Amino acid sequence: MTLREQNRKLSTRLAVVALGMFGFGFALVPFYQQICTALGINNLDRPAALANTQVDISRTVTIELDSNAPNLPWRFRPLVSHIEVHPGALTTVEYEVVNVRGAAITGQAVPSYGPQMAGAYFKKLECFCFTQQTLGPGETRRMPVTFIVDPKLPKDVNTISVSYTFFEVEGRGGKS
């Protein structure tokens, strides 16, 4: 057998192997789909939108919002006075604060809850109360509070009052 015949035979074998690998790649698609169906992975028969099972839609809790800024020249208020939520649902409310002083001032908000035990079930994910807020002269700012009411909230609690009180941070911002 000559070298040319050996090369031709080797090239034919390599071409058959390459075609076999290409065919095997196409055969993997239905094989993969069968494996996924058997294991319940990537099931194409699932509904388009899955419901959040952590939200208790059988129940509604009223969140009453309040705000105070004693001894601060700020107008501070929630944009809504109350909101109805389902425990477990992600909810966002906004507060507005206006510095009516002609100088910058820094404040820190402190939340309080009624009933007091409800604070353990009111889970804030984003809140202006996490950091100090410095407002320039005449500045207006909208500040969100994103929260979830824990579905483990006792069934006899139908209303949670949330009150934020801003206190001045001494040594930060101008005094007049």
Side-chain angles (χ1 to χ4, degrees):
M1 186 180 287
T2 67
L3 184 59
R4 187 176 195 118
E5 290 172 345
Q6 288 177 347
N7 285 344
R8 190 170 294 160
K9 192 174 185 179
L10 179 61
S11 295
T12 303
R13 286 183 183 167
L14 289 175
V16 168
V17 168
L19 283 173
M21 289 172 46
F22 187 74
F24 184 71
F26 272 101
L28 278 179
V29 173
F31 181 69
Y32 174 77
Q33 289 173 342
Q34 291 299 318
I35 295 278
C36 289
T37 301
L39 297 175
I41 304 170
N42 292 337
N43 189 355
L44 299 177
D45 297 330
R46 69 177 174 221
L50 296 176
N52 184 348
T53 58
Q54 296 175 341
V55 176
D56 183 357
I57 59 171
S58 68
R59 194 172 163 207
T60 302
V61 177
T62 301
I63 307 298
E64 296 177 342
L65 303 167
D66 183 43
S67 60
N68 304 289
N71 305 318
L72 273 177
W74 286 1
R75 284 193 315 264
F76 175 49
R77 68 180 182 91
L79 295 183
V80 295
S81 61
H82 68 280
I83 187 170
E84 304 282 326
V85 300
H86 294 293
L90 185 66
T91 307
T92 299
V93 295
E94 283 189 321
Y95 282 76
E96 182 180 77
V97 63
V98 179
N99 180 1
V100 295
R101 182 184 282 175
I105 191 165
T106 300
Q108 176 76 48
V110 178
S112 58
Y113 306 94
Q116 187 174 1
M117 55 74 76
Y121 300 95
F122 192 86
K123 309 291 185 184
K124 295 181 297 293
L125 304 175
E126 177 184 356
C127 183
F128 56 87
C129 64
F130 294 159
T131 59
Q132 295 178 355
Q133 303 293 323
T134 300
L135 272 70
E139 181 180 354
T140 299
R141 186 179 301 167
R142 286 198 174 175
M143 301 177 296
V145 178
T146 302
F147 65 91
I148 295 173
V149 174
D150 192 327
K152 295 176 186 165
L153 178 72
K155 300 284 186 203
D156 62 333
V157 178
N158 298 316
T159 302
I160 299 175
S161 296
V162 181
S163 180
Y164 287 96
T165 303
F166 257 110
F167 297 99
E168 184 175 359
V169 176
E170 296 296 325
R172 303 278 318 264
K175 286 218 177 218
S176 21

